[in-house]
């Protein structure tokens, strides 16, 4: 088994698509297989990963999406609770690459999702694969 599950929030579809494309490129470069599940928002990402992890079908997970600050405290709840839930899963020994952008505005999100720049989708794939390798070393 050499498969990674990418969980992509489609709320900001263009941003998420750029993150996903760069994550997939890196996954392929490193000879892993992958599947993608699309969900409506970032808040739902940890639930999908937690459910999928129970079935041992994947060696790692990549969480992708974007949250942009608005006029209410909704941003804080979504960012904090999704990050907390993903951290709890990673502490339980699940290899997770965190590629959820938490930005003040769309300009920041676009910059962090550009294929030729800071693309955090690629960074999340790198983190996921490194965690898979490190977990494998520990388990031997």
């Amino acid at each position: 088994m050499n498969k990674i599950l990418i969980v992509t929030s489609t709320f900001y579809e263009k941003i998420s698509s750029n993150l996903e494309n760069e994550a997939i490129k890196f996954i392929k470069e490193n000879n892993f297989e992958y599947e993608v599940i699309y969900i409506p928002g970032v808040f739902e990402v940890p639930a999908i990963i937690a459910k999928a992890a129970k079935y041992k079908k994947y060696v790692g997970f990549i969480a992708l999406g974007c949250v942009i600050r608005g006029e209410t405290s909704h941003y804080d709840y979504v960012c904090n609770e999704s990050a907390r839930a993903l951290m709890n899963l990673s502490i339980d020994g699940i290899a997770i690459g965190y590629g959820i952008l938490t930005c003040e505005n769309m300009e920041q999100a676009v910059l962090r999702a550009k294929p030729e720049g800071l693309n955090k989708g690629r960074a999340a794939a790198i983190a996921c694969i490194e965690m898979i390798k490190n977990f494998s070393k520990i388990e031997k």
Side-chain angles (χ1 to χ4, degrees):
M1 175 181 62
N2 202 21
K3 189 178 284 188
I4 294 171
L5 179 63
I6 301 170
V7 182
T8 302
S9 162
T10 60
F11 194 83
Y12 291 102
E13 194 168 352
K14 177 68 174 157
I15 298 296
S16 295
S17 177
N18 284 343
L19 296 171
E20 184 182 295
N21 290 338
E22 292 304 306
I24 288 170
K25 283 181 192 174
F26 189 79
I27 289 168
K28 287 180 177 179
E29 288 168 9
N30 285 273
N31 301 313
F32 282 81
E33 296 177 24
Y34 68 93
E35 286 183 32
V36 181
I37 291 180
Y38 297 100
I39 55 171
V42 165
F43 199 76
E44 294 79 21
V45 172
I48 294 294
I49 292 175
K51 183 74 169 181
K54 291 180 182 180
Y55 296 98
K56 310 283 188 215
K57 183 178 173 183
Y58 307 99
V59 293
F61 301 88
I62 299 175
L64 300 177
C66 179
V67 185
I68 298 176
R69 187 178 298 280
E71 296 175 359
T72 69
S73 58
H74 180 73
Y75 169 90
D76 297 311
Y77 293 114
V78 171
C79 293
N80 293 337
E81 292 305 314
S82 61
R84 180 195 54 78
L86 290 171
M87 178 56 75
N88 288 344
L89 290 169
S90 69
I91 289 170
D92 286 341
I94 299 171
I96 300 174
Y98 188 83
I100 296 174
L101 304 180
T102 55
C103 302
E104 295 296 319
N105 53 53
M106 183 59 78
E107 183 180 346
Q108 288 179 353
V110 168
L111 179 64
R112 285 156 180 78
K114 278 185 167 183
E116 64 280 349
L118 293 169
N119 191 284
K120 297 300 181 180
R122 184 175 182 86
I126 292 168
C128 178
I129 290 173
E130 286 300 314
M131 292 305 290
I132 291 166
K133 290 176 182 177
N134 286 317
F135 285 166
S136 179
K137 289 177 190 175
I138 292 168
E139 292 168 1
K140 287 184 180 180

